[in-house]
Amino acid sequence: MFGGATGDTGKYTITGDTYLFECPSRKWKRLEPKGSQPTQRAAHAATSVEMLQLVIYGGATGGGGLAPDDLYLLDLRSGEEECNWIVVPVVGTTPGRRYGHSLVFSKPYLLVFGGNTGNDAVNDVWCLNVEKAPFFWVKLECKGDLPPVRVYHSAALCATGTANGMMVTFGGRTADQSALNDTWGLRRHRDGRWDWVKAPYKPTNEPPTARYQHSTIFLGSLMLVVGGRTNNVGESVPFEVYDADSSEWSRFPSIQRFRHACWTLDNILFVYGGFEQESPNIPTETIAKADLSKYFQSNAYLSKYLASIQPNSGTTGGYGKVDQQGSQLGGTGKGTTLGMNSDNMMAIEGQDGKNMTNKTITNPFMNKTVRLSDQAVISYTPDEDPNNLIKMIPINKLEEESKKLGAGFQDPNRNANQTALYYENLSAPFISSLLLPRDWYPPSDYKFTFKRDTMIKLIEEVQKIFEQTPSLLRLRPPMKIFGSIHGQFAGLMKFFELFKSPSEVHNEGDIEGFDYLFLGNYVDRGKYSLETIFLLLALKLKYPDQLHLLRGAHEDRKVNKLCGFAEECEKRLGEDINDPGSIYQRLNKLFDYMPLAALVADKLLCVHSGIGNTLKSIQEIDNIYRPTEVVKEPSTSAQSILLDLMWSDPLLSENENLSMSEEKRDIFGSNLIPQKFTQDRLSKFMKDNNLHMIIRSHEIVQEGFEPSPSGNFATITSVTDYMGKYQNAAAIAIIRKNNEIQPRIINTQLNSMEDEIAKRAGMGKSMGGNNMTQGRYNNMQGSKMDTEDPSKKRPATPPRMNTKTGKK
C-alpha cells in the first residue's frame, strides 16, 4: 500500500510511505524502498502488474496541486529489504496529471481511465503495453458509445465468463456532481480495436445504488461493489453484486466505508482504511472482513457459485474487524492467524498454533449429475447469409468462435484510419490470391505474377513492423505453432484447410480465437517459397499483433543462396539476385530484422533451433541488436547465441552421441558447427529461467511432433515427406488457453505434399517421389522449370534420431 491521507478534520497529511500487510500473520510492516521514491499523494491509482510488482499513477498532493505524470513501479521480487521504486521510462505524451481515476492491468496493457485533470472530469482511456519497449502511452480512440465523464469511480479486471479480459468500470461522480450507477466494459479485439460495451441490467432487478468513492473487485464473474457514498449525506449504501454472466444484481447489508481499499482471500473480503459513516471526517485504520459464504446465504445461486469457485473456503464468521499487528497502522491485540492445514483447507489457528476450527464448505455441485448440451447457438451479423444467421456448433468448437462478435463481423469503422486502410489494400491482393486452403493450384507457367512495386511495398511495411518488434516476443495463448515449411505451400494450405486459417472467413478462419506463431524456415527446399513468404508477410501486415514470424536458419542469404530460394527468384521473377534492389536481396534484408524467439505465457520458450551452450538467460535474446546476420565464426557472445538459436540441436537420450556425424550440418562449408546441447544443459537452463518447456523446429522428426523423454522439450516440423525421401509426418501444435499442448498431425501416407500438389493439378497420385513438381508440370512444353530440383544441389538434413527407438 502506498500513500493516501491521514489525520483528522482540517489536519489531513498527504503521505508517501509504503506498507506491506501479511495476510497470514496479520502484520503490517513499513517498507523502506530504495530508488526513486514517488512524491506524497492521495486519490492516486495503483495496481499490480505481476507478482510482487506494484505500479502507481497520478493523484493529488493537497492544496489543489496534482502529482507528476510519471509512472512508478515498486519491485518486491528481491525481498522486502531489497525492494525498489523505479520510474518507468516512458516516451511521448502521457495521460497527464489527474486524480480520482482508475488504473487496471489487463495483460500486457496498463489502462488509465477517467478522473479529473484539475479542471474537468474526463472519460478518456490511455493504454501502455508493458511488453514492448520503449514504453509509451497511447490514447485509445474507441468508436461507438462511450461512458460519461466520471471521477472517483471504480474499475477492475474480469478474468472469466462472458466479460473475460474486460476492464469493467462502475459508478463514479459525473461533471455535475451526480452519482452514477452504470457499468461499462472495455474490451480489446484480436485485430487491435478497442471499444466500450454498456453492461445490460435485467429489468426485473432493482438497479444498483448510484455511488462514488467506492471499490469493486471480481470474484469469478461476480463484481463485488463495496461501500461508497451517494449525494445524500449519511445515506447507507448497500453491498451489491453484479453477475457479468447473467446481468443480475443482488443486494446485501451495507459495508459502510468510502475512499477505502479492498481485497479477497478465498471467500473472505477484506476492507481497509477509508472513512466510516459514523466518523466521515476521520480516516480509520481498521480492517473489516466479510465472509461471503455467510453474506450469500440468502441467495441460493450465489452460494452455489461461490462454493464452485472456492471449494476449500473457510467459514470464519459473517462480518467483523481484523486484529492487526505490527507497524502503527493496526492494533496490538494478539488476534488469530489464518493458516493452511495438511489437507490444504482453511483453518483458524490460535496463538498456540492449534486448530480451533476445521470446517470447510462442501461444493454443492459435487456428486450430482450435471448434463450439458453438446451444442451451442451462435448468431451472426445481418451481412451474412440470411439463411445462416443462427447456427448450432459443437460445444468443443465454441472456443474458436469470436468471443463477442461473429467470426465474419466487420466493424464499419475499421478502415477509418488511413494507415489501416493502406495496410488492408496492400495485403489484400496477396491474401485473396494465395490464402485459398481448398482452391490454390500451382501456376501453370511457374511464374510469380504479383507486381514488383507491390511486393517491394509489402516488404518495406513489414520490415517497419519488425523494426519495432523486440527480439524476444512475449505472447499469450491460445495459439497455433508451425514448424519449418520450406516452401511447401500446398502443405501449408492443407494445414489451413484441415485446422482453419488465419482469417476472418466464417467457418474457415479462427484469427479471432488464436494467435499464429511460425518458427522459421519459410524458404528453400520446396518449389513455392515465394508463395509461402509473401502470404505470411501479407498476413503479418493485416494481423500484426496476432500473427508472429520468427527467423529460421534458412532466412539467411548465405544459406538460401545455396538451397534453392535464390534460384527460384531468378527463374520466377526474372531478376538478378545480386542486384541490391532485387526482391531476393530485399527479402534477405527483411530477414535480418525478424524476431528470434517467443516466450508464451512466461513458461514456454519457442525458438527455431536450440539454446546451444552460450545462452544463459532469455533476456540475452532480447538484448540482441537487429538487424543482424548469422556469423559462421562468431567473435561476440551475441553472435554465438544467434548462431545457436539458428543451428544448435539437442542430445536428449542415451541413443544420441556427441560424436555423431555432422557433415550434413556443415552448411557454411567451414567445418564450424554450432555445439549440441545435452539434457543436463537443457534442464539447468530451464530451471534458471523458470521455464516449463521449449518448442523448436529445425530438424525433421518422423512423427511430425516429437517430445523429449523428459517431456520438457519438443521438436515440430510442418513439412511432410521432406525432400520426397523421408516419408515423415507433419504437425502443428495448438496451445490452449489453459496451456495444454495438442499436436495436430498430417500423416504422409495419407497426404504427402507432393501428392497434394499433383492432386490440385488434376493428376491424382504423383509419379515418383523425388520431385515435387512431377506429373503435370514435367509434361509441359516450354516450361522454365528444370526437371532437377535446384534445392538438391546441397544435401538435405536427415531426420533426427528417434529418442525412443534410436533409429532415424
Side-chain angles (χ1 to χ4, degrees):
M1 184 189 69
F2 170 78
T6 61
D8 200 339
T9 306
K11 301 178 183 179
Y12 294 122
T13 300
I14 306 296
T15 69
D17 44 17
T18 306
Y19 280 86
L20 179 74
F21 181 71
E22 296 178 347
C23 294
S25 64
R26 301 181 182 183
K27 291 182 179 179
W28 282 104
K29 179 177 182 180
R30 180 167 180 167
L31 302 179
E32 300 294 340
K34 303 174 183 178
S36 302
Q37 179 85 8
T39 56
Q40 296 90 342
R41 65 192 68 197
H44 54 285
T47 188
S48 61
V49 288
E50 295 290 353
M51 187 68 70
L52 299 178
Q53 293 183 79
L54 172 79
V55 291
I56 67 167
Y57 185 83
T61 58
L66 298 181
D69 59 351
D70 292 321
L71 180 66
Y72 287 89
L73 181 142
L74 177 65
D75 190 350
L76 284 156
R77 291 174 297 177
S78 298
E80 301 166 17
E81 303 303 325
E82 298 298 325
C83 62
N84 191 41
W85 278 110
I86 302 167
V87 179
V88 179
V90 175
V91 299
T93 306
T94 73
R97 302 186 179 203
R98 62 181 67 201
Y99 68 92
H101 53 289
S102 59
L103 180 65
V104 170
F105 181 58
S106 178
K107 191 174 182 179
Y109 301 104
L110 273 176
L111 299 167
V112 168
F113 168 62
N116 192 302
T117 60
N119 297 314
D120 301 295
V122 293
N123 65 344
D124 54 350
V125 187
W126 292 77
C127 168
L128 183 145
N129 188 335
V130 303
E131 295 179 355
K132 287 187 177 181
F135 303 118
F136 56 91
W137 288 103
V138 175
K139 185 177 181 180
L140 301 183
E141 301 295 338
C142 301
K143 305 299 181 182
D145 294 335
L146 302 176
V149 299
R150 63 193 64 209
V151 64
Y152 294 130
H153 54 282
S154 65
L157 179 70
C158 181
T160 188
T162 57
N164 183 23
M166 282 191 180
M167 179 190 81
V168 181
T169 184
F170 172 79
R173 191 174 68 192
T174 192
D176 63 0
Q177 308 300 308
S178 300
L180 299 167
N181 72 342
D182 53 348
T183 303
W184 294 77
L186 178 69
R187 62 184 175 183
R188 183 181 187 274
H189 297 274
R190 294 186 68 84
D191 61 6
R193 292 177 294 119
W194 294 82
D195 63 11
W196 284 100
V197 178
K198 187 173 183 179
Y201 295 169
K202 279 199 171 180
T204 54
N205 280 145
E206 185 176 350
T209 303
R211 67 186 78 192
Y212 58 93
Q213 294 179 349
H214 56 285
S215 62
T216 55
I217 190 169
F218 269 94
L219 197 61
S221 64
L222 304 180
M223 181 176 71
L224 314 181
V225 182
V226 183
R229 62 201 303 194
T230 70
N231 291 122
N232 301 317
V233 178
E235 181 180 1
S236 177
V237 184
F239 169 43
E240 295 181 285
V241 178
Y242 178 70
D243 186 342
D245 287 342
S246 67
S247 305
E248 291 190 74
W249 281 96
S250 303
R251 180 170 291 182
F252 300 95
S254 175
I255 298 176
Q256 293 291 357
R257 294 285 180 97
F258 59 91
R259 292 195 175 189
H260 55 278
C262 69
W263 69 92
T264 59
L265 180 64
D266 296 312
N267 68 327
I268 307 298
L269 171 68
F270 295 88
V271 183
Y272 171 74
F275 297 90
E276 296 177 316
Q277 295 289 2
E278 296 82 3
S279 53
N281 297 315
I282 305 174
T284 179
E285 62 181 8
T286 61
I287 298 178
K289 70 173 183 178
D291 186 334
L292 299 177
S293 65
K294 297 293 185 181
Y295 257 82
F296 293 169
Q297 279 183 343
S298 61
N299 188 308
Y301 171 76
L302 292 184
S303 294
K304 289 182 179 180
Y305 182 82
L306 181 66
S308 70
I309 61 174
Q310 302 287 353
N312 293 327
S313 299
T315 57
T316 57
Y319 177 73
K321 294 182 178 180
V322 176
D323 290 327
Q324 306 166 61
Q325 303 177 25
S327 302
Q328 300 179 14
L329 290 180
T332 58
K334 292 184 178 180
T336 57
T337 303
L338 291 175
M340 304 300 289
N341 64 21
S342 59
D343 297 322
N344 199 33
M345 295 179 179
M346 184 70 74
I348 303 298
E349 296 179 358
Q351 292 299 307
D352 58 0
K354 296 181 180 179
N355 284 351
M356 298 170 60
T357 65
N358 187 19
K359 298 180 181 180
T360 61
I361 296 179
T362 303
N363 187 341
F365 292 120
M366 295 177 64
N367 303 320
K368 292 186 178 182
T369 300
V370 179
R371 295 184 179 181
L372 296 176
S373 170
D374 61 351
Q375 291 188 318
V377 178
I378 300 295
S379 62
Y380 292 94
T381 52
D383 58 345
E384 299 284 343
D385 180 354
N387 296 319
N388 197 27
L389 288 179
I390 298 179
K391 183 181 179 182
M392 302 289 289
I393 66 166
I395 196 73
N396 63 348
K397 300 295 184 183
L398 185 59
E399 178 183 334
E400 299 177 9
E401 296 294 320
S402 169
K403 292 182 176 62
K404 301 298 176 187
L405 306 173
F409 181 86
Q410 293 288 339
D411 189 325
N413 298 311
R414 180 176 181 179
N415 293 327
N417 184 283
Q418 291 184 351
T419 302
L421 180 59
Y422 172 67
Y423 286 173
E424 187 86 14
N425 292 336
L426 182 55
S427 62
F430 297 94
I431 294 174
S432 62
S433 299
L434 297 175
L435 187 56
L436 303 171
R438 293 181 178 85
D439 302 317
W440 179 81
Y441 293 90
S444 59
D445 59 1
Y446 194 52
K447 288 185 177 180
F448 195 67
T449 57
F450 293 96
K451 294 181 179 179
R452 173 183 169 80
D453 289 347
T454 306
M455 288 189 280
I456 290 175
K457 288 178 181 178
L458 177 62
I459 294 170
E460 290 175 343
E461 294 301 331
V462 177
Q463 181 175 312
K464 292 177 184 177
I465 295 175
F466 287 152
E467 289 173 4
Q468 301 299 318
T469 302
S471 295
L472 176 66
L473 304 178
R474 298 179 185 272
L475 309 176
R476 294 171 294 159
M479 69 168 45
K480 297 178 181 179
I481 300 177
F482 287 70
S484 298
I485 299 171
H486 276 308
Q488 291 196 0
F489 191 70
L492 181 62
M493 290 301 101
K494 195 63 181 177
F495 274 114
F496 288 167
E497 178 184 350
L498 294 176
F499 306 118
K500 294 194 175 181
S501 65
S503 74
E504 297 160 280
V505 178
H506 176 47
N507 281 339
E508 293 182 7
D510 58 4
I511 195 67
E512 286 282 352
F514 287 88
D515 276 15
Y516 280 69
L517 174 63
F518 294 82
L519 303 184
N521 279 5
Y522 313 105
V523 301
D524 285 341
R525 306 299 188 193
K527 285 290 186 177
Y528 300 98
S529 295
L530 286 170
E531 279 83 355
T532 302
I533 189 61
F534 273 100
L535 174 61
L536 293 178
L537 293 181
L539 291 169
K540 177 65 181 176
L541 189 64
K542 184 176 177 64
Y543 306 112
D545 296 324
Q546 296 148 271
L547 187 132
H548 315 282
L549 304 175
L550 301 186
R551 187 177 187 176
H554 285 253
E555 281 69 65
D556 182 341
R557 55 182 54 80
K558 295 183 296 294
V559 177
N560 58 48
K561 191 171 185 179
L562 297 172
C563 296
F565 184 49
E567 189 162 348
E568 180 179 339
C569 290
E570 280 184 325
K571 290 189 174 184
R572 302 188 67 190
L573 301 177
E575 65 177 9
D576 177 6
I577 62 167
N578 296 313
D579 181 353
S582 66
I583 299 297
Y584 172 77
Q585 292 291 348
R586 287 175 177 268
L587 282 170
N588 274 292
K589 181 181 178 182
L590 173 141
F591 294 158
D592 290 341
Y593 285 92
M594 295 183 97
L596 306 175
L599 186 62
V600 181
D602 298 323
K603 299 297 183 183
L604 169 63
L605 180 65
C606 297
V607 297
H608 172 69
S609 186
I611 59 171
N613 289 289
T614 306
L615 182 66
K616 299 298 187 293
S617 165
I618 56 174
Q619 184 59 42
E620 293 177 305
I621 303 175
D622 212 13
N623 293 340
I624 295 177
Y625 177 80
R626 296 170 295 130
T628 184
E629 293 188 31
V630 181
V631 179
K632 66 180 181 180
E633 298 181 13
S635 58
T636 67
S637 174
Q639 291 174 348
S640 296
I641 291 171
L642 178 60
L643 185 64
D644 285 341
L645 290 173
M646 297 297 108
W647 288 99
S648 66
D649 294 325
L651 295 169
L652 301 179
S653 73
E654 295 179 358
N655 295 319
E656 296 182 329
N657 193 308
L658 281 168
S659 62
M660 61 189 294
S661 172
E662 287 285 5
E663 292 182 7
K664 298 184 188 299
R665 266 286 183 260
D666 186 11
I667 196 70
F668 296 118
S670 62
N671 295 319
L672 292 173
I673 302 301
Q675 292 182 335
K676 287 182 174 287
F677 53 96
T678 64
Q679 178 63 55
D680 289 344
R681 153 72 174 148
L682 177 66
S683 298
K684 184 178 187 307
F685 175 82
M686 297 181 69
K687 180 179 179 180
D688 291 346
N689 290 275
N690 196 26
L691 298 174
H692 289 176
M693 191 173 186
I694 294 177
I695 291 182
R696 48 90 72 159
S697 185
H698 193 59
E699 293 181 290
I700 304 301
V701 289
Q702 205 62 38
E703 303 302 323
F705 183 88
E706 183 180 291
S708 65
S710 64
N712 63 356
F713 188 90
T715 300
I716 183 173
T717 180
S718 300
V719 180
T720 64
D721 195 21
Y722 182 54
M723 298 299 294
K725 61 189 295 187
Y726 293 115
Q727 291 81 50
N728 61 281
I732 63 173
I734 296 178
I735 314 297
R736 296 291 180 183
K737 196 167 186 178
N738 62 359
N739 296 327
E740 178 185 1
I741 301 176
Q742 299 176 336
R744 292 290 184 264
I745 297 173
I746 296 179
N747 193 296
T748 186
Q749 284 81 11
L750 297 178
N751 203 345
S752 74
M753 298 304 108
E754 181 183 346
D755 293 337
E756 183 65 22
I757 288 182
K759 181 187 75 174
R760 289 168 184 255
M763 296 299 294
K765 196 79 171 173
S766 66
M767 299 181 293
N770 290 327
N771 194 325
M772 288 182 61
T773 56
Q774 288 175 352
R776 171 181 176 183
Y777 303 108
N778 282 350
N779 295 327
M780 285 183 177
Q781 299 296 323
S783 172
K784 293 188 177 181
M785 178 179 287
D786 292 343
T787 56
E788 180 186 0
D789 187 339
S791 67
K792 292 185 172 58
K793 292 183 178 181
R794 292 202 56 90
T797 303
R800 69 173 282 103
M801 184 179 293
N802 188 292
T803 55
K804 295 181 180 179
T805 65
K807 299 179 180 179
K808 291 185 179 179

